[in-house]
Amino acid sequence: MLVGAFACAHTPQLIARPETEDRELVLRVHAAFARVRRRLAMLRPDAIAVVAGDHVEAFFLDAVPALAVYAGAEAAGTFGPYEYRFPVHEPLARAVVEQGIERGFDLLYTQHARLDYAFFVPLHFTMPAPAVPIVPLHVNVYLPPQPTPRRCHAWGQALGAILGARPERVVLMASGGMSHYPGTDRYASPDFDWDRRILDTLRDGRGAELAALTGEELDKAGNVELRTWITVLGAVGAAKAEVYCYEPSWHHGNAVVEWAL
Amino acid sequence: MNEMHYRFPPASAYPLNRCLFALKSDDAFRARFLADAKAAMAEHGLDAGSQAALLASDRDALVARGAHPYLVFMADLRVRMARGTATFEYF
């Protein structure tokens, strides 16, 4: 069953803070992560299914899946001095692949690929003790052509049905967003107004409206990663979002959100 | 339609993107690059223009040559982290 849903920023400056970043802002985002961690302890999940956009880490141009499921025994990666490793909930990962295919989603699955920091950063701050296994779910956000928001939402609806019918207590966590433009000439000018309008929509329980966004709109708003949120929105339906924090830095709209189910 | 920030990577830029991917994600390659950048770039068969743009950390030139902006961004960050030219507070 699906017992909780969250969305978390994962910008690497939250874990490796350069001097360019406002320390107090970073700590406020950490406080929101700590709140998620406490909520996860209350929700007692058997697994956390993390929907994240791979930063060209597991998948380079040699093979670019739109949607992928990590179904190995464990998932590991590195980022700078961090070496991380998480057990994978294998029966759940396998069920997602098998039933996802059955439902018409032509998923890629892998049993060995490097785990991107997009998965690691939120878990570094929010994983309850004792740790629970994860299921990494990839959505292509950076290598065009990406899956459409409508397709992500439909995949989220399928995920909600698949996870909802399982005996395990499962939390869905989107990792990514909000507005930022890494590597582009707009890096220092995120679209915070756009983010705030989206957050208002989510607070109202109207997240399904995001399925009608286009890939061009997401790119223009610096929100290519919002595909991970839109995926989770497919699973949470009309649940209203509680915004734990929205902290705009000079280059990034950092948001942490929960949908109570 | 306005130009997208993230565009389909041209196949002609595959060697350049491969090199940036390695700088970002392959610790051993990054170490070779820091020791001898020219030799490391030659491993990926980069042409003179791409080599010059990468040595100069010229984002605009790299993107104009088909480099993916995110790869340019993170390759540069990882090189700076490895060089120790930027300091970080790790949490």
Side-chain angles (χ1 to χ4, degrees), chain A residues 216-234:
Chain A
E216 287 81 2
E217 287 173 303
L218 293 183
D219 182 272
K220 187 179 173 199
N223 266 291
V224 294
E225 292 179 355
L226 207 67
R227 286 174 174 84
T228 64
W229 292 40
I230 295 170
T231 303
V232 168
L233 283 165

Side-chain angles (χ1 to χ4, degrees), chain B residues 65-84:
Chain B
R65 302 182 79 83
H68 191 285
Y70 177 80
L71 288 176
V72 175
F73 171 80
M74 190 51 74
D76 179 65
L77 176 64
R78 295 304 302 273
V79 166
R80 285 189 289 119
M81 287 170 81
R83 279 195 177 123

Side-chain angles (χ1 to χ4, degrees), chain A residues 6 8 32-41 126 173 244 256:
Chain A
F6 299 84
C8 295
F33 282 149
R35 214 175 139 191
V36 173
R37 188 170 187 267
R38 290 194 294 275
R39 277 288 292 154
L40 287 173
T126 65
M173 181 183 286
Y244 283 15
V256 178

Side-chain angles (χ1 to χ4, degrees), chain A residues 80-190:
Chain A
Y82 298 96
E83 295 186 7
Y84 42 90
R85 187 174 296 276
F86 300 95
V88 171
H89 198 299
E90 198 177 334
L92 195 59
R94 185 173 165 183
V96 169
V97 174
E98 290 176 343
Q99 295 177 37
I101 296 271
E102 198 63 35
R103 286 169 177 271
F105 292 86
D106 301 322
L107 303 167
L108 177 145
Y109 71 91
T110 175
Q111 296 186 330
H112 185 77
R114 286 183 300 205
L115 193 71
D116 187 61
Y117 73 80
F119 293 92
F120 166 63
V121 171
L123 294 172
H124 178 69
F125 292 106
T126 65
M127 181 64 84
V132 298
I134 67 171
V135 178
L137 302 169
H138 288 264
V139 177
N140 172 27
V141 299
Y142 275 111
L143 291 172
Q146 304 96 324
T148 62
R150 189 164 299 287
R151 184 62 168 168
C152 294
H153 193 261
W155 171 226
Q157 288 176 315
L159 273 174
I162 294 166
L163 299 176
R166 292 288 303 182
E168 300 91 352
R169 298 173 61 81
V170 183
V171 161
L172 257 180
M173 181 183 286
S175 171
M178 294 177 85
S179 185
H180 64 308
Y181 303 85
T184 77
D185 55 11
R186 222 192 131 166
Y187 188 56
S189 306

